[in-house]
Amino acid sequence: MNRVIVIAPHPDDEIIGCGATIAKHIESGDEVTIVVVTNAAVGAPEFYAQSSIDKVREEAVSAHHFLGVKETIFLEFPAPALNAFPEFKISLEISMIIQKIRPTHLYLPHPGDMHQDHKAVYRASLVSARPQGEDHKVLNIYCYETLSETEWTPMQEKAFVPNHFVDVTDVFDKKTEAMKFFKSQIKQFPHSRSLETFRALAMYRGATIGVERAEAFIVERQIIL
């Protein structure tokens, strides 16, 4: 059995980025924990009321329960202001979670994403997952793509060029059903956060490797013992 941690800067990033892969892990008997790092009511209360954050967190828990996620952990770091927040504090909290769960797999946002929160969460998580000494090592670290962020990677950043693909043909419908719980976040096509766009991307990534549906990742690290 594998132990999987998915780090999401904001609620719904985890389903958009790797919801079908999460479903596949769970169907295989793996334990999945999702860590949502930020609370926008802390970072920008003038724009985000705590009531709206509570709502989207309830939506996230419902989506995770539908998929069979073992545990959802909400942290309280200030969105959308992580670029002005000490990253070592984020790393310390994520480190404690990693030490407790001792994951075999870690999924992170792509460092080239447009949103500064995604970049900060990526960096802080990598610090937390450094393979130091003889203690537990996270063997597999992958970066997922988040529609509405990853496709807008600035020119000076490293673009998302996947080198790891997961055939999710048999479980993709679970991703779209899980996303439907996010009524406050889902958009109408042709918005990139629409169900139609999720299906189109999965078909494109699938066609890349000759299957009907796939999710794509960049390998950040793999350790073979």
Side-chain angles (χ1 to χ4, degrees):
M1 179 192 70
N2 293 309
R3 294 179 301 279
V4 180
I5 295 180
V6 182
I7 309 288
H10 319 100
D12 84 355
D13 289 334
E14 72 287 357
I15 305 299
I16 295 172
C18 53
T21 300
I22 290 170
K24 188 157 187 165
H25 272 296
I26 291 168
E27 282 204 352
S28 299
D30 297 340
E31 293 183 347
V32 176
T33 298
I34 295 175
V35 180
V36 178
V37 175
T38 64
N39 180 343
V42 174
E46 67 275 25
F47 297 118
Y48 301 98
Q50 186 60 49
S51 58
S52 67
I53 301 305
D54 293 341
K55 178 176 176 56
V56 73
R57 287 184 169 189
E58 289 172 4
E59 293 171 344
V61 170
S62 296
H64 300 168
H65 183 265
F66 168 77
L67 290 174
V69 168
K70 180 182 180 182
E71 183 180 11
T72 303
I73 300 172
F74 293 107
L75 305 180
E76 302 294 334
F77 294 106
L82 292 189
N83 60 313
F85 188 83
E87 287 182 12
F88 79 91
K89 294 185 177 181
I90 307 172
S91 295
L92 287 174
E93 286 216 32
I94 294 175
S95 293
M96 288 188 288
I97 295 169
I98 288 175
Q99 290 167 13
K100 176 183 175 182
I101 296 174
R102 301 173 70 84
T104 56
H105 294 65
L106 183 63
Y107 292 90
L108 307 177
H110 174 54
D113 285 359
M114 174 70 81
H115 203 310
Q116 292 294 324
D117 286 357
H118 289 225
K119 301 176 189 296
V121 168
Y122 165 83
R123 292 192 299 265
S125 298
L126 274 191
V127 171
S128 302
R130 288 176 296 182
Q132 295 181 324
E134 297 300 322
D135 199 5
H136 171 73
K137 298 175 177 62
V138 182
L139 301 179
N140 305 282
I141 302 179
Y142 305 107
C143 295
Y144 55 81
E145 57 182 331
T146 310
L147 282 170
S148 78
E149 300 294 349
T150 311
E151 73 271 27
W152 289 107
T153 298
M155 288 180 61
Q156 69 269 25
E157 299 280 357
K158 182 178 179 180
F160 185 86
V161 181
N163 55 7
H164 178 80
F165 296 81
V166 179
D167 181 355
V168 296
T169 303
D170 294 338
V171 295
F172 184 76
D173 286 346
K174 289 192 173 183
K175 172 174 181 165
T176 54
E177 289 302 309
M179 196 62 209
K180 288 178 182 178
F181 286 96
F182 288 95
K183 296 185 185 302
S184 67
Q185 305 299 309
I186 201 74
K187 306 297 182 182
Q188 295 298 313
F189 185 80
H191 196 285
S192 53
R193 288 197 175 215
S194 65
L195 296 179
E196 293 87 347
T197 309
F198 300 152
R199 294 187 185 103
L201 179 61
M203 291 173 65
Y204 171 66
R205 295 305 187 193
T208 303
I209 60 169
V211 302
E212 291 185 18
R213 302 282 192 279
E215 286 182 331
F217 303 88
I218 293 177
V219 176
E220 178 66 46
R221 183 170 80 222
Q222 288 182 326
I223 301 176
I224 299 175
L225 299 177

